[in-house]
């Protein structure tokens, strides 16, 4: 009680900003309970941001990747496991002891029918349920489900029907599998992804995007938002969009 009172006096005396106080509390929490997260798709551009920012935030991270040589980060709190979401027998102990799974699974086989996203996600869900992991945060895209047409005219009339049709169809199946699961899931739907810097200021929620214009968001800010969802239940069982 006395120490809490003294801390309160220090905060009042020096007028420490709430942002700093929250950061101190967050770091103390991580020291008491070092949160362990598994990143799927860690060699992609968004996945690399998840790993980098997650380590900066103090998380202990396991990256499940097909090619470990593509992970260029060396950190004592990073463990790289070679595995393939399409081959669950390759998971080994990657899922064991994890508190949450963040999926940035993607590929570039846009113009041919694939089930990489849905089949891989199905395997991830099965393994999470087997290991007793509840929290899943997965990136898909605006333009899917009840956000249909919200990627703007270019995507609605050209990119999705003529270039990304099979890719978006598989993303829709991926979302269905997640929403039908018993997990504590959040599906993050970004607008057009860029390689810009992290701003930390963006819009999130329902009914975002535009029927006319294509709106943007950096991969760095998407990763920032996804990491915030690990301990924030605000978007539990929801599909928030994210744009500037």
């Amino acid at each position: 009680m006395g120490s809490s009172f003294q801390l309160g006096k220090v905060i009042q005396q020096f007028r420490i900003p709430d942002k700093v106080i929250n950061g101190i509390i967050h770091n103390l929490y991580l020291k008491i309970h070092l949160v362990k997260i598994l990143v799927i798709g860690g060699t992609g551009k968004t996945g690399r941001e998840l790993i980098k920012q997650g380590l900066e935030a103090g998380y202990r991270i396991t990256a499940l990747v097909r090619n470990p040589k593509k992970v260029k980060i060396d950190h004592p709190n990073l463990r790289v496991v070679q595995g393939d979401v399409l081959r669950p027998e390759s998971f080994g102990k990657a899922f064991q002891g994890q508190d949450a799974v963040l999926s940035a699974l993607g590929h570039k086989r846009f113009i041919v029918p694939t089930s990489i996203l849905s089949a891989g996600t199905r395997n991830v869900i099965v393994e999470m349920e087997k290991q007793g992991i509840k929290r899943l945060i997965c990136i898909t895209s605006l333009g899917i489900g009840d956000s249909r047409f919200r990627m703007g005219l270019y995507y609605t009339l050209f990119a999705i029907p003529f270039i990304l049709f099979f890719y978006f169809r598989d993303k829709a199946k991926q979302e269905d599998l997640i929403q039908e699961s018993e997990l504590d899931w959040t599906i993050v739907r970004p607008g057009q992804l860029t390689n810009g810097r992290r701003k930390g200021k963006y819009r999130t929620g329902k009914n975002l995007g535009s029927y006319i214009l294509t709106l943007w968001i950096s991969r760095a800010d998407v990763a920032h938002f996804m990491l915030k969802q690990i301990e924030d239940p605000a978007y539990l069982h929801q599909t928030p969009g994210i744009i500037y």
Side-chain angles (χ1 to χ4, degrees), residues 12 34 46 49 57 63 66 96 123 132-133 141 145 177 198-199:
Q12 285 185 333
L34 191 57
T46 304
E49 282 291 335
R66 286 188 301 164
Q96 290 185 9
N123 291 334
I133 307 167
S141 176
L177 287 166
R198 186 180 81 190
K199 298 180 180 179

Side-chain angles (χ1 to χ4, degrees), residues 40-59:
I40 307 291
T43 57
K45 293 178 181 179
T46 304
R48 290 199 297 268
E49 282 291 335
L50 285 172
I51 293 173
K52 179 173 75 71
Q53 293 184 41
L55 291 170
E56 290 171 355
Y59 294 115

